[in-house]
Amino acid sequence: MKAAVFIDGGHLRVLVRQAGHRYDPDCIEAVAHACVAEDETLLRILYYDCAPYQGNPKLPVSGKRTQFQGSDEWLKVLAAKSLFAVRLGTLKFRGFEPKRTPIASATLSDEDFKPRFEQKGVDMRIGLDIASYADDRSIDKIILVTGDTDCLPAMKRARTAGLQVVLVQFPKQRFAKELLWHSDFQRPVVWPRQNPQETHG
């Protein structure tokens, strides 16, 4: 059966780091291939994420400017890998929020706050691509790496079109029951072996 892997990068990043692994293009590639069964033919890997935010907002207490200038070079490296297609949304800066709540009554400093970002357009792109594959029937199976219920309409659309939907489950991961209801299979996947020098948490 022909299959495509759809990866919600924000979701995968959290799980990989919680497991103590380094999140980079090689890790993403290894995880993607680990999600495919031996009797499946991999057509494409679609990866959805946002480039790092770049800007210089004011800090919440001092009012001084701070600079965010993360590199997107790793996304270009990933896009150059075999079978990969990278789809980018936009990362919006939504201000600063307290690192701990409730806020202590002591005098606050900039160090008591952390930036808050919001991904925009990622779920929409996943949904559009799944719908496109459902329409042209170039694959038989969708292998989905996500924990976001925003994908439910796309999952329903794929199943209605006759595609099978596989929901990938990594160690210790739990799903909203709605995701289980609207998938055909739940596939346990263990983390691929990492480099010996990698530090595990």
Side-chain angles (χ1 to χ4, degrees):
M1 298 182 76
K2 292 183 179 179
V5 179
F6 295 75
I7 300 175
D8 179 340
H11 168 75
L12 181 61
R13 182 184 296 105
V14 170
L15 295 179
V16 167
R17 289 177 175 172
Q18 285 177 347
H21 303 310
R22 181 176 58 248
Y23 195 70
D24 60 18
D26 290 339
C27 171
I28 297 167
E29 182 181 35
V31 168
H33 285 281
C35 294
V36 183
E38 290 184 0
D39 62 345
E40 295 167 347
T41 300
L42 179 59
L43 180 68
R44 185 159 293 116
I45 303 164
L46 296 106
Y47 179 83
Y48 304 83
D49 210 335
C50 297
Y53 172 77
Q54 297 191 23
N56 59 338
K58 289 183 178 180
L59 292 169
V61 178
S62 68
K64 295 179 180 178
R65 294 282 181 179
T66 185
Q67 185 70 37
F68 293 100
Q69 50 184 2
S71 171
D72 63 352
E73 189 62 31
W74 68 276
L75 287 166
K76 297 174 183 177
V77 172
L78 185 64
K81 287 183 174 291
S82 298
L83 300 180
F84 266 86
V86 174
R87 306 277 197 263
L88 295 180
T90 303
L91 195 64
K92 297 288 188 180
F93 174 67
R94 297 305 190 197
F96 291 91
E97 61 184 12
K99 292 180 179 178
R100 291 177 292 275
T101 55
I103 298 176
S105 58
T107 302
L108 295 174
S109 70
D110 293 327
E111 297 299 319
D112 294 309
F113 294 84
K114 61 183 178 181
R116 183 169 66 88
F117 300 102
E118 181 184 6
Q119 286 189 345
K120 301 293 290 185
V122 170
D123 296 330
M124 177 190 69
R125 286 169 172 78
I126 295 175
L128 288 173
D129 283 341
I130 290 178
S132 177
Y133 277 101
D135 289 340
D136 65 27
R137 296 300 302 273
S138 58
I139 58 175
D140 308 297
K141 190 176 291 186
I142 285 172
I143 302 172
L144 190 57
V145 178
T146 189
D148 196 336
T149 54
D150 287 343
C151 289
L152 289 174
M155 294 167 68
K156 295 177 185 179
R157 175 73 182 85
R159 296 179 81 197
T160 300
L163 276 64
Q164 293 182 347
V165 176
V166 178
L167 193 61
V168 173
Q169 183 180 31
F170 296 102
K172 299 181 181 179
Q173 181 183 2
R174 296 183 181 276
F175 292 111
K177 57 183 180 298
E178 292 85 358
L179 287 171
L180 301 178
W181 293 343
H182 297 291
S183 60
D184 295 294
F185 304 103
Q186 193 175 342
R187 176 173 295 173
V189 172
V190 298
W191 297 114
R193 180 174 296 177
Q194 302 293 301
N195 295 330
Q197 67 269 25
E198 182 168 348
T199 299
H200 294 264

